[in-house]
């Protein structure tokens, strides 16, 4: 029902090194819905809170995610930009395999 993540992103642009770190907590309240809460350090800025929501409606996966919008609401004077992504994925391919139950032989 809950998982945690750590992401490091390094970008080199015009000989300038840009580093970003993100910590996330991901919640799965029901099989069709997943949510994420993030905290990021982006280019020396420490006020970066994020939210995300995904809905699985087979074969589609709809999502909306931001890594800065909650921060803009809390600290508008420190806001440089807002990053918001909305999208849809089409899921297809192999079905998930069912767990196989193995009987362990007795060793004497």
């Amino acid at each position: 029902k809950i998982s945690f993540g750590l992401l490091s992103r390094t970008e080199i642009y015009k000989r300038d090194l840009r580093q970003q770190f993100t910590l996330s907590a991901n919640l799965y309240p029901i099989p069709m819905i997943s949510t994420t809460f993030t905290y990021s350090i982006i280019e020396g800025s420490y006020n970066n809170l994020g939210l995300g929501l995904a809905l699985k409606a087979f074969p589609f996966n709809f999502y909306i995610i931001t890594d800065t919008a909650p921060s803009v609401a809390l600290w508008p004077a420190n806001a440089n930009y807002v990053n918001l992504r909305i999208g849809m994925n089409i899921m297809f391919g192999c079905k998930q395999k069912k767990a196989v139950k193995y009987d362990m032989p007795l060793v004497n």
Side-chain angles (χ1 to χ4, degrees):
K1 299 258 180 192
I2 188 168
S3 66
F4 299 94
L6 172 65
L7 172 71
S8 172
R9 178 180 179 205
T10 304
E11 181 180 276
I12 300 172
Y13 180 71
K14 294 185 179 181
R15 296 183 181 181
D16 186 27
L17 186 67
R18 298 177 183 183
Q19 187 66 48
Q20 175 178 334
F21 296 100
T22 301
L23 297 170
S24 66
N26 310 293
L27 304 172
Y28 310 94
I30 61 174
M32 290 180 57
I33 295 177
S34 61
T35 59
T36 186
F37 302 93
T38 64
Y39 170 72
S40 299
I41 300 171
I42 303 172
E43 295 184 25
S45 172
Y46 298 91
N47 296 341
N48 301 293
L49 301 175
L51 296 170
L53 177 66
L55 171 65
K56 293 182 201 173
F58 190 78
F60 302 103
N61 179 302
F62 301 97
Y63 65 89
I64 182 168
I65 192 163
T66 179
D67 60 1
T68 54
S71 301
V72 171
L74 294 171
W75 303 286
N78 297 335
N80 293 329
Y81 61 91
V82 174
N83 185 10
L84 178 69
R85 294 181 207 139
I86 300 172
M88 176 188 75
N89 296 314
I90 300 173
M91 302 178 295
F92 57 91
C94 299
K95 292 185 179 183
Q96 190 174 26
K97 294 181 182 180
K98 293 182 180 178
V100 177
K101 184 177 179 182
Y102 293 100
D103 291 328
M104 298 294 290
L106 295 175
V107 178
N108 292 332

